[in-house]
Amino acid sequence: MDDSAVILPQEAASDAGQRRARWLLLVHQIPPKPDYFRVKVRRRLARLGAVALKSTVYVLPWSPQTLEDFQWLRREIVDEGGEAILCETLLVEGITDAELEELFQKSRDVDYGEIASDAASMLTRIKKRKLGADERAELETAVARLRRRLREVSELDFFGSAGRPGAEREIAALALRASGGPAPHLVSPDRAPAPHGATWVTRRDVFVDRIASAWLIRAFIDPSAEFLFVPGPAHRRAPGEIRFDMFEAEHTHVGDRCTFEMLLEHFALNGDAALGAIAEIVHDIDVKDAKFGRPEAAGIEQLLSGMVRTTPTDEARLMAGGAIFASLYESFRE
């Protein structure tokens, strides 16, 4: 930021219509020795997702968590003999909020691009070969590592970088191969084309079939899916929307089969034995006919019931329930 930039402290915000401070600035000066500490601070700033305005001026969007992160880092710098000032600010001239947000997005794009490239390189090396048990195990470990990196970057993606969907797609393709599925170019021609970034619509107050189906959608069908929860059993579909587990939906119950089972069939995922086991559990809980007699059904239903009672929003239920089904999937894959 050049000398013409002006930063307005929160205390002086009355002249700007009482606007709330949007940014945190950490201005620091680190002693030249020891060398390792300068490297340590630089790495810590990177892990926090901070963006450099100048060589010694770093910025984060204001939140209670980012404030605490910068406070701890400032204390560490001072304890090591350096100097650091932490400010809550509004930007007035020299750089706009939109320009600063773009800096954050570009930084995350680089991170997502590295993840996507690593996943694509692994897939290229093995997509035409049949994998042995040891190779699949190594690949599963690599997928878990990539997903962990994706989560870490996503937590620092303050302004919704456009690079995330690409990284998610590459990891999903690699995970499919790790599970024994075909490489992307070898997918059965009978498989319906998977949507990308669609809005999947279902009824509010989600429970077992909708929670399991949403997990299946994000994990195997549409990694960039967004979910919309509507109050009634019917919903007129808007462009870009796909309805599931509701009246006249594109994906819903057919005969005695639940939505999860129909999604497996429609997207040709029913060859995955672990998903098949989960489908039987979801069926027994949702349809209540004990068709498959899965002994796990009662325990999973009890677990989901407790989760629903303690989780107020549908999006939060999808996240918590998705973790349950992801763990269940891993257990069946063994």
Side-chain angles (χ1 to χ4, degrees):
M1 187 163 58
D2 60 28
D3 294 337
S4 65
V6 178
I7 300 171
L8 181 66
Q10 186 175 15
E11 292 81 341
S14 58
D15 293 336
Q18 297 294 335
R19 288 188 295 160
R20 175 72 182 271
R22 285 203 61 194
W23 307 102
L24 294 169
L25 289 186
L26 181 69
V27 185
H28 70 271
Q29 184 174 349
I30 301 174
K33 298 294 181 179
D35 294 332
Y36 78 86
F37 186 66
R38 187 178 298 275
V39 175
K40 180 180 179 181
V41 169
R42 187 162 54 246
R43 289 176 177 171
R44 181 75 62 82
L45 287 164
R47 287 197 297 270
L48 297 179
V51 166
L53 289 183
K54 297 183 72 172
S55 60
T56 61
V57 181
Y58 285 80
V59 62
L60 281 172
W62 191 99
S63 75
Q65 182 60 56
T66 55
L67 176 60
E68 182 178 343
D69 290 338
F70 262 173
Q71 285 175 325
W72 281 111
L73 181 56
R74 177 191 173 277
R75 177 178 295 181
E76 189 170 354
I77 291 171
V78 172
D79 288 346
E80 289 289 335
E83 298 178 4
I85 299 172
L86 179 56
C87 310
E88 295 184 6
T89 71
L90 290 167
L91 302 177
V92 178
E93 294 180 2
I95 187 171
T96 66
D97 288 337
E99 289 169 340
L100 191 48
E101 289 176 12
E102 187 176 355
L103 289 179
F104 279 95
Q105 291 169 334
K106 288 180 177 178
S107 294
R108 298 294 80 79
D109 277 339
V110 171
D111 297 333
Y112 286 131
E114 292 174 352
I115 294 172
S117 177
D118 289 348
S121 296
M122 293 180 196
L123 187 60
T124 299
R125 290 197 300 269
I126 52 88
K127 68 181 181 180
K128 295 182 179 180
R129 294 191 290 107
K130 183 176 180 179
L131 303 179
D134 291 342
E135 286 181 303
R136 285 179 57 186
E138 292 177 2
L139 198 57
E140 288 167 1
T141 301
V143 168
R145 186 165 54 248
L146 287 168
R147 284 176 171 161
R148 183 170 61 251
R149 287 171 58 190
L150 183 66
R151 285 196 303 271
E152 291 170 352
V153 174
S154 298
E155 289 172 359
L156 305 178
D157 190 6
F158 304 113
F159 300 105
S161 163
R164 178 173 177 172
E168 290 175 334
R169 286 194 302 273
E170 295 296 345
I171 293 175
L174 191 64
L176 181 62
R177 285 290 283 137
S179 68
H185 70 293
L186 297 177
V187 172
S188 167
D190 296 329
R191 176 174 179 170
H196 169 61
T199 298
W200 294 74
V201 183
T202 193
R203 295 171 289 124
R204 291 178 182 170
D205 299 321
V206 295
F207 194 51
V208 57
D209 198 9
R210 281 166 286 161
I211 292 173
S213 295
W215 166 75
L216 181 72
I217 289 163
R218 274 190 172 152
F220 293 91
I221 299 170
D222 184 0
S224 301
E226 298 291 338
F227 292 98
L228 174 65
F229 309 99
V230 296
H235 173 77
R236 180 173 294 179
R237 184 169 65 93
E241 291 183 347
I242 302 172
R243 298 166 298 181
F244 69 102
D245 200 47
M246 58 191 304
F247 182 65
E248 294 186 340
E250 287 69 48
H251 304 284
T252 191
H253 289 228
V254 175
D256 72 338
R257 291 188 292 175
C258 65
T259 301
F260 190 95
E261 293 174 283
M262 297 310 301
L263 285 168
L264 288 187
E265 179 177 313
H266 184 79
F267 291 102
L269 295 169
N270 42 9
D272 187 321
L275 290 178
I278 293 174
E280 293 179 354
I281 293 171
V282 172
H283 176 104
D284 282 357
I285 299 172
D286 190 61
V287 183
K288 299 180 175 62
D289 62 358
K291 176 179 179 179
F292 298 103
R294 297 293 308 204
E296 307 92 343
I300 296 300
E301 182 176 13
Q302 185 106 10
L303 185 61
L304 290 172
S305 296
M307 181 272 293
V308 165
R309 284 197 296 270
T310 57
T311 308
T313 68
D314 286 310
E315 185 63 45
R317 290 176 184 179
L318 293 193
M319 293 181 63
I324 292 172
F325 283 107
S327 298
L328 195 60
Y329 179 75
E330 292 301 323
S331 71
F332 282 125
R333 288 177 65 187
E334 291 297 322

